[in-house]
Amino acid sequence: MNASLPASSGRVFRSDVPLAAAPGLLRVGTRGSALAVSQTTMVAEQMATATGLDVALVIITTHGDVTRAPLSQLGGTGVFVSALRDALLAGECDLAVHSLKDLPTGACTGISLGAVPVRADARDALCARDGLTLADLPSGARVGTGSPRRAAQIRARRSDIDVHDLRGNVDTRLGRVGVDLDAVVLAAAGLDRLGRAAAITERFPLADVPAAPGQGALAIEVRAADATTEPYIAALSAVDDAEARATALAERSLLATLEAGCAAPIGACAEVTGDELRLRAVVYRVDGSEQLTAEASLPWSTTAPDSEVPVSQVPAELGRRVAAELLEAGAADLASLGGRA
């Protein structure tokens, strides 16, 4: 047995009411949706095992959880992030777990990105009636998605399909398949985490259908003042994965350089191959009629010495380079980037 591990794992439990800070307790803020609770529980269990501390899931209700308005009217998925960050800064929780793709790309004063756990399947998944794939859907089929990127990609592959805006939790969305929709497109990671993989009729290959920057990854945020103190160091290091962090940060750097929000019609896929970090990105016209692609790579390894760019700076630099190539090729003419149409 590793002597550095605690003698026993802490307890993991849920709290739907405010919970005061206490010695021996880590409070992890999360949305109350089934998916958010599922992915946060996974993180909490790892932290409890690593630290021996009790870990409480503190449920934070966000405006995005209680309204049926389209996300575009609410300012995008950042509406889910702001309430958790407010709770973290107010001391209502000690850590906060987000879907990384929901995080705004700009820095948040007083908060640090503490960890990015091992990344789940980053692909998009089609959930269609009768086991159909996208190619098999009949002309005029109704496909639901709340993502402009997914809508553009569907239209680019099948211009004869009728794309509809979609809101609600995973079960609500799946419940419309075979009722008023022929299919919905969701993140494969969420379906896998909820045990709903059986609903998937096709997983889109990232080479052809790159996902949202950061999709499949989680982000654990911590107050900046706590990031270098225990027990936060132990809790965060237990769940942080260097490769997941590098790929997610490269994709987010691309998004930040393009000055595009998380709802922009942009797909990105970063991967570590050997001692290289590679990033490929596509910008779409929202109607799917045009797209631009750029790709680049840089040396990256957690064991090799720094070369052209220090390892810690490689993801950000790679994202900037790919974004610059897209902008030079005219990406701002396809999508709204940095205020440009």
Side-chain angles (χ1 to χ4, degrees), residues 70-278:
L71 280 179
S72 58
Q73 293 181 12
L74 301 175
T77 50
V79 68
F80 299 129
V81 174
S82 59
L84 286 170
R85 284 179 164 175
D86 289 346
L88 183 58
L89 291 172
E92 297 170 14
C93 56
D94 305 307
L95 302 164
V97 177
H98 311 273
S99 291
L100 192 143
K101 68 183 179 64
D102 292 346
L103 290 183
T105 55
C108 182
T109 303
I111 290 179
S112 296
L113 177 62
V116 178
V118 173
R119 195 167 183 175
D121 190 342
R123 291 175 292 179
D124 282 333
L126 184 78
C127 302
R129 62 173 175 83
D130 306 320
L132 297 174
T133 65
L134 185 65
D136 294 333
L137 286 171
S139 180
R142 296 163 58 89
V143 177
T145 175
S147 160
R149 171 190 58 81
R150 289 173 179 156
Q153 290 172 330
I154 292 167
R155 290 169 178 141
R157 300 174 71 192
R158 288 288 308 271
S159 60
D160 59 330
I161 279 181
D162 190 6
V163 180
H164 288 260
D165 188 59
L166 187 66
R167 282 295 313 275
N169 61 32
V170 169
D171 286 333
T172 298
R173 297 182 187 208
L174 290 176
R176 295 180 61 180
V177 176
V179 180
D180 64 326
L181 295 174
D182 295 287
V184 297
V185 181
L186 301 169
L191 292 163
D192 290 340
R193 287 171 178 146
L194 285 172
R196 301 301 304 272
I200 298 174
T201 57
E202 181 181 8
R203 294 180 190 244
F204 298 147
L206 291 171
D208 300 324
V209 190
Q215 184 162 306
L218 300 179
I220 295 96
E221 291 192 319
V222 59
R223 286 183 293 273
D226 294 332
T228 56
T229 64
E230 294 291 2
Y232 305 105
I233 294 175
L236 293 167
S237 62
V239 298
D240 193 43
D241 180 78
E243 185 171 318
R245 179 184 281 265
T247 57
L249 292 183
E251 293 167 10
R252 283 174 57 75
S253 173
L254 166 94
L255 204 61
T257 305
L258 291 175
E259 297 184 54
C262 57
I266 296 169
C269 176
E271 60 179 343
V272 174
T273 55
D275 289 337
E276 282 192 333
L277 180 63
R278 178 172 297 277

Side-chain angles (χ1 to χ4, degrees), residues 262-340:
C262 57
I266 296 169
C269 176
E271 60 179 343
V272 174
T273 55
D275 289 337
E276 282 192 333
L277 180 63
R278 178 172 297 277
L279 174 63
R280 176 177 177 272
V282 184
V283 176
Y284 301 86
R285 191 178 295 281
V286 73
D287 64 4
S289 62
E290 292 183 72
Q291 61 188 61
L292 285 170
T293 302
E295 184 174 346
S297 62
L298 284 172
W300 182 91
S301 172
T302 56
T303 57
D306 292 342
S307 54
E308 175 192 0
V309 180
V311 168
S312 63
Q313 299 175 26
V314 165
E317 176 60 22
L318 183 59
R320 287 191 290 266
R321 291 188 184 187
V322 174
E325 184 176 337
L326 286 167
L327 289 171
E328 186 175 352
D333 295 328
L334 299 187
S336 179
L337 305 175
R340 294 163 292 183

Side-chain angles (χ1 to χ4, degrees), residues 28 35 38 71:
V28 182
L35 176 56
S38 173
L71 280 179

